[in-house]
Amino acid sequence: MTRSILAASVAALVLATTAQAQDADVSLGVGYDRISVGDFNLDSLVLRGDYDFSDHLAIEAQANFGVGDDTVIDSGIPFDMSLNYAVSLFGVLRLVNNERGSIFVRAGYTTAEYENSALGTSITDNPDAWAYGVGGEYRFDGRNGVRFDYTMVDYDGADADVFGITYVRHFGG
């Protein structure tokens, strides 16, 4: 149920963001995230939409799609892991925000689907977790920028470190 509500919220935010992009302070981004879970390092495409309520407060929805898998060999047995998807919703506090960029912290909730396999057996896992992070954005001009961020995803039993770089396009505002 939580996954359905989160997915519906992300979809509604993205649709509202697109529809109101010319009238509101909105940004859309596309980029790359490197997700480290235990000994596994996974690559993903990230799509993100932000809606700024003020110069310092925003809401952010993102979707990650795995673009590869990783294999770790333990006791001579290969273990594979891949990310199918992750969707997240964050509250964002911009500590510094001006025409040249911003520095921010964020906290929210994520749900994901990972696939694990070994010895011909595959298991799909759908963990939910709290996530929090920090980052910064540099704007080349009033509309285009690049964002760097780090997010810690607090899964039960295994945390994920996520490092990202994203192209950002600002609309409105």
Side-chain angles (χ1 to χ4, degrees):
M1 174 103 170
T2 302
R3 281 190 282 276
S4 298
I5 292 171
L6 185 60
S9 299
V10 168
L13 181 62
V14 169
L15 291 174
T17 298
T18 304
Q20 298 179 354
Q22 297 303 321
D23 299 328
D25 197 1
V26 171
S27 65
L28 300 175
V30 60
Y32 165 82
D33 278 356
R34 176 69 166 214
I35 304 167
S36 297
V37 181
D39 293 333
F40 294 95
N41 293 302
L42 305 172
D43 300 317
S44 71
L45 169 71
V46 62
L47 303 173
R48 184 179 292 115
D50 288 14
Y51 177 82
D52 292 343
F53 296 106
S54 69
D55 285 343
H56 298 286
L57 294 175
I59 190 167
E60 183 172 272
Q62 83 178 40
N64 290 69
F65 302 96
V67 293
D69 61 1
D70 192 19
T71 302
V72 173
I73 302 201
D74 186 14
S75 301
I77 299 171
F79 292 88
D80 294 323
M81 177 185 264
S82 63
L83 171 71
N84 293 331
Y85 70 85
V87 291
S88 307
L89 189 62
F90 292 96
V92 179
L93 174 62
R94 298 188 197 289
L95 305 172
V96 175
N97 190 20
N98 59 46
E99 66 279 351
R100 299 307 291 166
S102 66
I103 297 172
F104 60 86
V105 295
R106 68 184 190 154
Y109 199 73
T110 189
T111 186
E113 182 177 281
Y114 290 93
E115 190 169 324
N116 302 288
S117 60
L119 301 174
T121 302
S122 182
I123 298 170
T124 301
D125 189 19
N126 298 93
D128 297 334
W130 293 104
Y132 47 92
V134 298
E137 179 184 332
Y138 173 75
R139 294 186 187 161
F140 306 118
D141 55 33
R143 299 277 181 222
N144 301 292
V146 63
R147 167 184 166 143
F148 299 93
D149 57 72
Y150 165 77
T151 303
M152 163 68 89
V153 183
D154 191 11
Y155 294 120
D156 286 338
D159 294 337
D161 294 310
V162 183
F163 295 91
I165 182 170
T166 307
Y167 163 75
V168 180
R169 172 74 177 174
H170 293 271
F171 301 91

